[in-house]
Amino acid sequence: MSDLPSHARVVIIGGGAVGASTLYHLAKMGCSDAVLLEKNELTSGSTWHAAGNCPTFSGSWNMMKLQRYSAELFARLADDVDYPMNYHRTGSIRIAQSEDRMAEFRHVASMAGYQGMDYEVLGVNEVKDRYPFLELHDLKGGLWDPMDGDIDPAQLTQAYAKGARDLGAKVVRFCAVTGLSQLPSGEWKVESEKGSIIAEKVVNAAGYRAAEIGRMVGRDVPTVAMSHQYLVTEEIPELATLDHKVPLLRDPDDSYYLRQEGKGLILGPYEWQATPHWLDGMPDDFSFQLYPDDLDRLEWYIEQACARVPMLGSAGVQRVINGPIPYTPDGNPLVGPAPGLTNFYEACVFSFGIAQSGGAGKTMAEWIVEGEPEWDLWVIDPRRYTDFATKRYVVDKAVEFYQHEYAMHFPHEERPAGRPAKVSPLYERLKAKGAVFGARGGWERAVWFAEPGAQPKGDLTLAREGNWYPAVAAESRAVAEAVGILDLPGFARFEVKGPGTADWLDGLVAGALPKVGRISLGYFCSPRGGVVTEMTLTRLGEDHFWLISAAAGEWHDEDWLRSHRPADAAFTLENITSRWSTLVLAGPRARDVLGPVTESDLSNGAFPWLSVQSIEVAQARGFAIRVNYVGELGWELHLPIETVAPVYDLLWQAGEAHGIRDFGMYAMDSLRLEKGYMAWKQDLASEYSPLMGALDRFVKLDKAQFVGREALLTEKQAGPRERFVPLLVEAKDSDAPFCATVWKGERRVGLVTSGGYGHRIEKSIALAYVQTDLATEGEALEVEIYGERCPARVGTSPLFDPKNERLRA
């Protein structure tokens, strides 16, 4: 179809599998007034040369949902749209060469079981039974995914397109987009080689050309094109005699996949010599083109694969595919609203675009039609990267991730590429004191401090061991028994002030606003009642607030606030994140340390818990908030960033007589688990309401109006289906990982969202959502930790200092 309409509800830029899937899912949801524009022919970018593997395996709960949806869709799509496709559900085997890898398999198999997929953890001989051509040296076992397989990427894309066209949507090929501009109405003028379209909403689905489209709207898309190389063998006699396809084989420890193609095999490594391309700009057109072969960098992987499956070594190479695949810094795509823009979305930078296309198209259509997706997919939200994602950062992290595509993900692993990106004024000082850093929202934060003489390096292990563990225990004890100081740069901060501020905020948050000089936690809900974000509401005047939230959520939260600010508002909204930083001083001696360096009255009467005051410390003027994330007497000192270092020095000098100690994020996490404090996008997500999160005290349903009120009223009447509880777990040497399954007998009854060891109570802790009828103190449950069910019971909430006496001391 070549004629461009003058107007469309949605214009999608890019005709690969993801763009076509988005068009199809929009049409399925009744939005057939949608147009897809493709620069060349459908599939001409990365789709045409993709291997077409279809894994459901993922360490992320919701990415597993997304990929599972794709696999389920692929099984019926040909019939649904009347377009034949080559789709083979062969199943797959992942093999393990270490016990840690087997532990990972057991954990992911448990996740899959909760989602209704029958993964099987295999012993060594069972692996051989499923794949008889395999050599067993160094193997510990494997994992069977019955839903895995492969699909023809071109046929899949054409099937999406046919289904969309049949429902009234349009596809316009050979129509490159040349310009984008937003009109006063909020609509977009999309200019192309065949004319222009006025679109209510635009989706950038341009694959490895997504950055070009981004630049047209002033958006720096964090992407780089990596070359992924795979080779296709000639016919192999052992396969030629079979009447079925062998399962797809993955060796994550040697970093390659091997699957049958015709009567031969495809070998696709993720090699250490990861190679980015087009760093100085890409060609005007690379449609249906490849890079030159570069098999030298695959030599080691080919040797490993031939040793594992000897028949591979007997076959000649029929062809080599070396094509561009776009990568973000963490290997996950960008799906959702583009930061800082209205009516503009991204569905691009997929390194596994075929397997994720179905779920991504569904999610994108839900964003556009319904305003929010079914699943909380923060892991692929474009706003997770803020201004630190420069070209250098993106390339360095993408190379690192490509190298680790199949690598284990350990609980205390802090990968170094692209760092440091943002540092506090205390960075070098803390580094000299033994700080080991991790990146959080781009900011370097100390995660633990090495003991004098110890190597400042944590062992990579799933167990509660390594030189970080005793250090974290000591830091936690210092906070509990004396006083600790934590450098916490990067909090997102928004100052809102002027006439109407309080009324506006009251219509957004589920609970009551604090009084002047006080603070409270504010939960911002979606219309469905899910938690969109959590912010500390700091009330400095009747119509003057600071809203403080997680560093990683800066662009997400700013978008939420600005999108809900009335166009005629008399109040101002300013992002002041870059101008301020935070020091946390906490512990029973915190008042003894802070008191001598300020003239402020720190007594309970003058400065009660959950209050805020302006404060002067030496030459610094800032704000002190009597609150913290660790559950001890203490203050957050919010200071102009240039004053943080001298204030730190003064506090350290004042604290030496009281046993002051630096502590890091790992200790803070241990301490917050004991208090049941929730982490954003971990314990708090849009799939959970504040009622499910046991946050009833922050919900005021008798308010006349706030976003999500009707949904929460309905939920309150019916009763939430799940409830957030702390669990005390009889764990062994490993604590519960994220998304560990909670069992009651043979029933799966809940999901762990945070796990770790509480050093004050000396017990393993899991924070979890469980069925509401089981969310009672003392209820006996089990938590599955890497395949082993460990006894657990629902504890008092919070587990430590339930009356908050230490906070009020």
Side-chain angles (χ1 to χ4, degrees), residues 494-502 504-505 540-547 565 569-574 576 579:
F494 308 96
E495 185 171 34
V496 194
K497 61 182 178 180
T501 296
W504 173 70
L505 273 178
L540 304 176
E542 284 296 333
D543 274 321
H544 185 190
F545 290 80
W546 269 18
L547 310 178
R565 180 178 179 269
F571 60 84
T572 60
L573 168 61
E574 184 181 6
I576 58 172
R579 304 206 301 264

Side-chain angles (χ1 to χ4, degrees), residues 273-526:
Q273 191 182 329
T275 307
H277 280 262
W278 299 329
L279 299 183
D280 297 320
M282 61 178 58
D284 290 339
D285 188 27
F286 200 72
S287 301
F288 297 110
Q289 296 182 55
L290 296 171
Y291 303 130
D293 302 349
D294 188 9
L295 289 179
D296 287 348
R297 70 179 203 240
L298 304 187
E299 183 177 351
W300 183 88
Y301 304 88
I302 294 171
E303 290 175 354
Q304 299 306 113
C306 289
R308 182 66 63 196
V309 182
M311 67 178 176
L312 175 66
S314 67
V317 175
Q318 184 185 91
R319 67 183 185 275
V320 177
I321 304 295
N322 186 15
I325 295 181
Y327 266 74
T328 61
D330 62 8
N332 282 335
L334 306 173
V335 181
L341 299 171
T342 55
N343 300 324
F344 196 93
Y345 300 82
E346 292 173 348
C348 52
V349 200
F350 284 79
S351 51
F352 288 88
I354 305 306
Q356 295 170 354
S357 64
K362 169 186 182 292
T363 297
M364 194 72 266
E366 289 167 347
W367 268 117
I368 291 170
V369 175
E370 299 178 350
E372 61 177 311
E374 177 185 358
W375 310 313
D376 189 310
L377 286 164
W378 174 245
V379 292
I380 59 176
D381 194 297
R383 297 166 293 187
R384 70 189 187 274
Y385 288 108
T386 62
D387 57 355
F388 64 88
T390 62
K391 179 179 177 180
R392 170 82 178 268
Y393 175 89
V394 171
V395 171
D396 288 351
K397 293 303 284 188
V399 166
E400 180 185 63
F401 192 86
Y402 187 95
Q403 294 169 333
H404 291 83
E405 185 68 69
Y406 282 148
M408 286 281 299
H409 294 275
F410 291 96
H412 295 93
E413 182 177 13
E414 307 288 349
R415 292 179 182 166
R419 298 172 47 201
K422 292 186 173 185
V423 299
S424 144
L426 294 174
Y427 176 74
E428 292 296 339
R429 201 165 318 195
L430 298 181
K431 189 176 181 180
K433 295 175 75 174
V436 179
F437 290 92
R440 303 293 185 267
W443 286 91
E444 293 293 319
R445 289 179 175 174
V447 293
W448 65 281
F449 287 80
E451 297 283 357
Q455 288 295 318
K457 181 180 180 183
D459 299 329
L460 294 181
T461 174
L462 297 174
R464 194 188 312 120
E465 61 183 28
N467 56 356
W468 60 269
Y469 178 71
V472 170
E475 292 167 29
S476 300
R477 284 194 300 271
V479 174
E481 298 170 5
V483 62
I485 188 167
L486 171 67
D487 180 34
L488 202 57
F491 273 134
R493 289 175 176 79
F494 308 96
E495 185 171 34
V496 194
K497 61 182 178 180
T501 296
D503 289 342
W504 173 70
L505 273 178
D506 196 45
L508 287 183
V509 299
L513 299 183
K515 296 177 180 178
V516 175
R518 305 287 291 183
I519 71 160
S520 67
L521 287 178
Y523 291 91
F524 296 72
C525 297
S526 74

